[in-house]
Structures are given as structure tokens and as C-alpha cells.
Amino acid sequence: MLRQSLFRAAVRRTNPLLFASPNTALLLDPPKNALLRSPLLPHSIRAYARPLPLRRSPNVARRKDANSEEAIQAIEEKERESMNELFNVDLDGKKSRTLLILFTMLALPVTILFQFPTRTLPPVPDPPELQHLSHTPLTARMWLTSPLTSLQLFSFRLRRAEYLETIRRHFSFSPLNYMGYDREGNREPWRWWTWGTYMFAHGSILHFGGCFFAMSSILPLLTPQYGVVHTLGLFAAGGVGAAAATCITESIRHGQEIREGKGTQLVTKRLKVATSTGQTIEKDVQLLSPAPGMEKVFSTNIGSSGGLMAMLTVIAIAMPATNWGLIFIPVRIPARALFAGLVTWDTVSALGWFPDLGIGHVGHLGGDVVGMLAYMLVFRKLPIGRMLTYVRKQQGFR
């Protein structure tokens, strides 16, 4: 009875049943009761939508007895709430905006901390009045008792990059750490939580801006159809899958060399060094550097692109009629054409056919694989996923 009334509410809606964003042309607006009279749904779902005689429908009887617009609006509102609960629709986009704001609140501060020190804000020593506090840790008690002094100390230490190493240890991952070593070749425990936290760190504000705009286009498509839980789960699984693909691939390729101590070499570089008199001289310094071909093993990986690729994969499969606009490209690109182009680029770059631009192509491919598995195992089996499958086939997509 509950599902039958919900499906009747669905076909009586004036808005499209599938609430798509402006980026998509995937609309379904059947006439009244068309959903119940046609094979729009698979049989397993259509069985719940068999119409009952009008005399047995309490909502229809209440409509006949209602003499005021307020009563009719109350009934429609109740049906809308029930339908929202079943299909997780996001009529006004509040859930999408909430997820985007949450992502910004988590990622933007970490990204900003990654940028210090900068060219415009070079490292500076503590002022003379704070020299006696140079080695004092900033505890919660100090923040409460002396907030202004704590803020000054924090800003000076931030400009000296004193927190940069701590942030990198907890908000970035590297295949070397997965293998159990640090950059000096010493044993180091695997920081497993970095496979999730690295998605909230970005190498620059431009990098964060690109991921932000990509997510602002993806969330309005996925959240209304699949709900907040499935969307967040897909993003997190894509990020973890991207980290796993990167670490496992590099472990297979160079794990034996790392265990034998052949991953590093001493390189002589000429650097500017400050003397005790305050002068700056150039001096040859020997530094520990990755061996040729081992740069990817020692690199630190950050960014949310792995989770975004998993989300884009589901969109390309379930909503192929969506069109995407890219900066500096005057035409709109279908979702599957965009997805195929990104996969091709990541594949040929991962094989070394393009110059290394510092992009984790193997991680992107790992996110693609996670997106495909998530669609086959979870999203395709959801009621809204079956409806999208029918519409996709009716439009000529497979």
C-alpha cells in the first residue's frame, strides 16, 4: 500500500520525475498514470505500482471530500515527503549545496596551510618581545588564556613552515610510506588514515578551485538521484581506491629495489647557505635524492580527483545524455565522450607516453575502476538506478 501510493504520487507530479540539473538533458515527465500503464519500470518494481480501484485509495477519497485548497496542498505535501524519503530526491538543491560547503570547509583550510611559506610571505623570525616563547608549545590552555599571543606565535611559525611537515604526514600519502620506509631509508609504520585524509589537501589554490568547480557540477547530478549517503560513499571509495592503486602499482614496480636500498642516491647541488656573520654564500651540498625512475615512489600525493573520477564514471554510465562544458572549449561534450577522453589520457600518461606533469594518472584510473564496480554492485540495483537504465535504453544508449 505504501509503495503503491508513493508511485501514484510520482506520476501526479507536475515536475519531472527525475530531477536533473541544468547540465543534463535526461528528463522524464510522463503523463498522468503513464508510469502505471507502460513498462517504464522493470517488472520487479512495476509490480509495486499496480493501480488499485479508486474507492480503495484513501488519498483519492480525501481529495474528493476536500473542499479547500489547503487540504489538497496538505495531502500533496505529505505524499511529496514520502516520495522524497523513498527516492532521496533533492528538489531545491539543499543537500548538494550542503555537501559542497562541507567539502570546502574541510579542504580549503588544509590547502591554505600547505602553501606556507610563500614568496609574498617569506619566513621571518619571532619578534623580540616573543623570543622567550619561541619554544613554547601552543596548547589549548595558552589559546584560552592568551589568544592574541597564541595567534601571533601561530602566524610566525606558520610562515616558517614549522607545521608543514606535520600537515604532510597526516594529509598526504606516498607509496614509500605504504612500503614501510621513509625518505632516509629507515623503517616507518604505514599511516593508513592518509588514504582518506589526502583528499582534502591540494597543492595550490588553483588545484583546489578546479576540484571545487568539478564537484559543484557533479553533486547536483548524483545527490538528487542516489542520495547523500551513496554519493559520499562513492566519493570516499573512489579516493581510497585511487590511493590503493597508486601504492600497489609502485610497490609492484619498485618494491624490491626499495627493500634493497637502491631507491636513493646522493646528489651534489649548489645552494645558498647563511654563515654565522649573517652573510649568504654559495656552497656545494650533498642531498639525498630519489634514484632515476623512482620519483613516483617518493612523491607525496594529494587532491580529491580520485573520488571525482569515481563519481564521473557513474554519471557517464547512468546519465550519458548529460553534456559538459569545459573552460576555453566552445562546445559541450557528452558525458561518455568526456569520460573516454580522460581515461585515454590517463592510460597513455601512466604508460609514460606523455611528459610527467605531476598528475596521479594511476590514481585516476583506480577511481574509474571503483566507480564501475560501485555502479555494477550498488547503484544499478537501486530503484532509481533501474529507472535510469530504462530511460537510457529508450534514448538509444546502452
Side-chain angles (χ1 to χ4, degrees):
M1 288 295 295
L2 175 59
R3 293 197 176 187
Q4 292 169 357
S5 62
L6 293 177
F7 277 100
R8 288 195 188 89
V11 300
R12 281 198 295 269
R13 298 187 60 84
T14 58
N15 295 328
L17 181 60
L18 301 182
F19 299 91
S21 73
N23 294 331
T24 179
L26 183 59
L27 298 177
L28 175 62
D29 192 6
K32 187 175 182 180
N33 291 330
L35 181 61
L36 305 182
R37 297 197 308 267
S38 66
L40 182 60
L41 297 177
H43 176 73
S44 57
I45 297 180
R46 196 167 63 248
Y48 294 105
R50 293 171 183 169
L52 295 174
L54 293 181
R55 66 178 184 275
R56 295 180 58 187
S57 176
N59 287 337
V60 173
R62 292 169 65 184
R63 283 179 184 273
K64 288 183 176 182
D65 296 338
N67 296 322
S68 63
E69 285 293 329
E70 291 76 7
I72 295 177
Q73 292 177 0
I75 295 173
E76 291 180 347
E77 182 64 26
K78 189 172 183 179
E79 290 178 344
R80 187 180 296 108
E81 292 177 359
S82 300
M83 181 182 170
N84 293 350
E85 184 178 355
L86 178 63
F87 290 111
N88 294 310
V89 295
D90 188 14
L91 301 181
D92 51 7
K94 287 184 178 180
K95 295 179 180 179
S96 302
R97 288 195 296 268
T98 302
L99 292 181
L100 190 62
I101 292 173
L102 180 62
F103 171 77
T104 304
M105 292 175 61
L106 293 174
L108 186 57
V110 179
T111 302
I112 293 176
L113 292 177
F114 254 90
Q115 311 311 312
F116 287 95
T118 64
R119 293 182 179 179
T120 57
L121 293 174
V124 293
D126 291 338
E129 61 272 13
L130 298 178
Q131 288 290 340
H132 65 287
L133 298 174
S134 297
H135 301 287
T136 302
L138 292 177
T139 61
R141 181 178 180 180
M142 187 172 180
W143 277 101
L144 293 175
T145 56
S146 305
L148 183 59
T149 303
S150 300
L151 184 60
Q152 290 177 328
L153 287 174
F154 178 77
S155 62
F156 285 115
R157 294 175 184 180
L158 189 64
R159 290 178 60 174
R160 290 197 299 271
E162 292 187 12
Y163 303 116
L164 184 59
E165 185 60 30
T166 301
I167 296 171
R168 285 179 176 174
R169 286 181 58 85
H170 296 286
F171 287 93
S172 67
F173 77 91
S174 68
L176 188 65
N177 174 251
Y178 170 74
M179 300 177 196
Y181 294 91
D182 59 9
R183 298 183 66 89
E184 285 74 27
N186 302 319
R187 298 294 297 180
E188 181 184 44
W190 174 40
R191 298 186 296 273
W192 53 269
W193 60 88
T194 57
W195 281 18
T197 57
Y198 84 98
M199 293 184 287
F200 301 105
H202 299 81
S204 64
I205 299 298
L206 183 63
H207 184 198
F208 169 78
C211 293
F212 174 85
F213 284 113
M215 184 165 289
S216 65
S217 300
I218 291 175
L219 286 178
L221 293 174
L222 288 179
T223 307
Q225 313 301 340
Y226 298 111
V228 174
V229 176
H230 287 96
T231 303
L232 285 178
L234 177 62
F235 176 72
V240 174
T246 302
C247 291
I248 294 175
T249 301
E250 296 300 329
S251 177
I252 294 174
R253 293 177 57 189
H254 303 292
Q256 185 63 31
E257 299 175 66
I258 293 296
R259 287 187 288 270
E260 293 176 357
K262 301 178 181 178
T264 58
Q265 61 180 359
L266 288 175
V267 178
T268 303
K269 292 186 178 181
R270 195 167 187 82
L271 301 177
K272 293 182 178 180
V273 181
T275 63
S276 57
T277 59
Q279 297 178 348
T280 302
I281 61 173
E282 291 187 355
K283 183 179 180 182
D284 292 336
V285 179
Q286 285 190 334
L287 300 176
L288 200 62
S289 176
M294 306 282 287
E295 292 80 7
K296 290 291 184 181
V297 181
F298 288 79
S299 64
T300 56
N301 295 263
I302 53 179
S304 55
S305 54
L308 293 175
M309 289 302 298
M311 300 165 77
L312 181 60
T313 302
V314 173
I315 291 177
I317 298 174
M319 309 173 194
T322 56
N323 294 318
W324 294 76
L326 300 179
I327 302 176
F328 306 124
I329 298 180
V331 297
R332 300 184 71 82
I333 305 175
R336 289 190 175 177
L338 176 63
F339 175 72
L342 291 175
V343 170
T344 303
W345 178 49
D346 288 328
T347 302
V348 298
S349 299
L351 295 176
W353 295 351
F354 275 95
D356 185 11
L357 301 177
I359 300 175
H361 298 287
V362 176
H364 289 181
L365 295 175
D368 296 332
V369 173
V370 171
M372 294 179 186
L373 293 176
Y375 177 79
M376 290 187 296
L377 300 177
V378 179
F379 290 86
R380 181 173 59 88
K381 299 180 180 180
L382 298 176
I384 192 69
R386 298 178 183 179
M387 297 170 70
L388 288 172
T389 300
Y390 175 83
V391 175
R392 185 172 68 245
K393 292 182 179 180
Q394 288 297 104
Q395 295 181 348
F397 298 99
R398 290 295 182 266

